[in-house]
Amino acid sequence: RKEVEQDPGPFNVPEGATVAFNCTYSNSASQSFFWYRQDCRKEPKLLMSVYSSGNEDGRFTAQLNRASQYISLLIRDSKLSDSATYLCVVNRAGNAGNMLTFGGGTRLMVKP
Amino acid sequence: EPEVTQTPSHQVTQMGQEVILRCVPISNHLYFYWYRQILGQKVEFLVSFYNNEISEKSEIFDDQFSVERPDGSNFTLKIRSTKLEDSAMYFCASRDQGHYGYTFGSGTRLTVV
């Protein structure tokens, strides 16, 4: 089983649509969770951290279900500029390394 | 906004040659990392560096790879004898103590021919 698994997409949605991405992770010792955004041939950029209680940042809402080892990202009112690959990322803490484990990403294309 | 700077942005090298990829992390950050992304694949962890030593490394980071922080500012990744399969985008990242979100540099695209 992959450590972090995502549907690769692509998700093709019209502007203004609501779209949801899901992610599952296999390591129950994972402690921190993130969504990163990556544009084509660019570096990953932190979109938001994901907290157990769920959290919202503008049009973006992230949820975490530790029991199911499941993370989600909801984007409301999609903009053309939201077109990118969304990376689900988990962090295994417990040592000074704190390495991030990336999912393969879900590609979103927002059309006019 | 502070940023992680990487040079060069693109490097082409012949198989068997040594390459050094350079990074300047954010100045007050304490943890430094190298990740790589082969075209079309996921981002993979290579190595983490803290307190002037490697704290963790992946299976990818074999004897051909080394890292150094020579002067308190730069953080380098050296590949001693490059192979075709080393062709990838290499990302440097840094973070502050107590924060788990990283800042990534814009990457060096390494092409081994």
Side-chain angles (χ1 to χ4, degrees):
Chain A
R1 184 181 171 185
K2 290 180 187 174
E3 285 196 67
V4 180
E5 199 146 4
Q6 298 182 249
D7 179 346
F11 284 56
N12 294 296
V13 302
E15 267 187 293
T18 296
V19 61
F21 305 138
N22 303 319
C23 165
T24 56
Y25 60 95
S26 61
N27 188 342
S28 58
S30 300
Q31 296 196 2
S32 303
F33 309 89
F34 309 92
W35 284 100
Y36 276 75
R37 171 196 169 123
Q38 186 175 32
D39 293 288
C40 189
R41 295 183 177 242
K42 301 284 190 183
E43 75 274 23
K45 290 188 176 175
L46 180 64
L47 181 65
M48 60 195 301
S49 302
V50 187
Y51 303 117
S52 296
S53 53
N55 48 300
E56 188 174 304
D57 183 0
R59 297 181 294 109
F60 300 85
T61 301
Q63 299 276 354
L64 167 66
N65 184 323
R66 285 187 185 267
S68 305
Q69 294 178 204
Y70 171 93
I71 306 162
S72 66
L73 177 68
L74 184 78
I75 305 176
R76 287 182 299 277
D77 189 23
S78 301
K79 313 285 184 202
L80 295 176
S81 56
D82 293 335
S83 297
T85 297
Y86 289 83
L87 307 175
C88 177
V89 184
V90 305
N91 182 349
R92 177 172 52 81
N95 52 53
N98 272 312
M99 58 174 267
L100 297 181
T101 302
F102 286 77
T106 299
R107 192 166 168 217
L108 171 66
M109 298 177 68
V110 182
K111 310 263 186 199
Chain B
E1 188 176 326
E3 54 182 36
V4 175
T5 306
Q6 288 186 246
T7 54
S9 56
H10 192 188
Q11 171 121 26
V12 181
T13 189
Q14 290 207 325
M15 193 167 55
Q17 294 296 304
E18 175 183 287
V19 293
I20 297 177
L21 309 184
R22 291 184 164 79
C23 170
V24 179
I26 294 173
S27 60
N28 62 340
H29 282 188
L30 300 176
Y31 299 86
F32 314 110
Y33 306 85
W34 283 100
Y35 284 76
R36 81 169 186 192
Q37 186 174 31
I38 294 170
L39 188 63
Q41 298 188 23
K42 65 178 183 176
V43 178
E44 299 175 291
F45 169 76
L46 291 179
V47 65
S48 59
F49 193 86
Y50 170 71
N51 202 23
N52 286 319
E53 60 183 19
I54 290 174
S55 46
E56 191 163 1
K57 59 184 181 180
S58 72
E59 294 159 359
I60 303 168
F61 195 89
D62 61 21
D63 292 344
Q64 292 300 310
F65 290 86
S66 62
V67 288
E68 205 174 35
R69 189 156 160 81
D71 56 14
S73 162
N74 292 284
F75 179 51
T76 62
L77 174 69
K78 183 193 291 187
I79 309 175
R80 272 184 256 290
S81 177
T82 49
K83 307 188 214 26
L84 294 176
E85 54 266 36
D86 293 329
S87 295
M89 186 75 117
Y90 287 81
F91 294 110
C92 174
S94 69
R95 72 173 180 91
D96 196 3
Q97 188 157 12
H99 291 90
Y100 294 117
Y102 294 17
T103 301
F104 283 84
S106 56
T108 293
R109 180 168 299 283
L110 177 65
T111 303
V112 182
V113 297

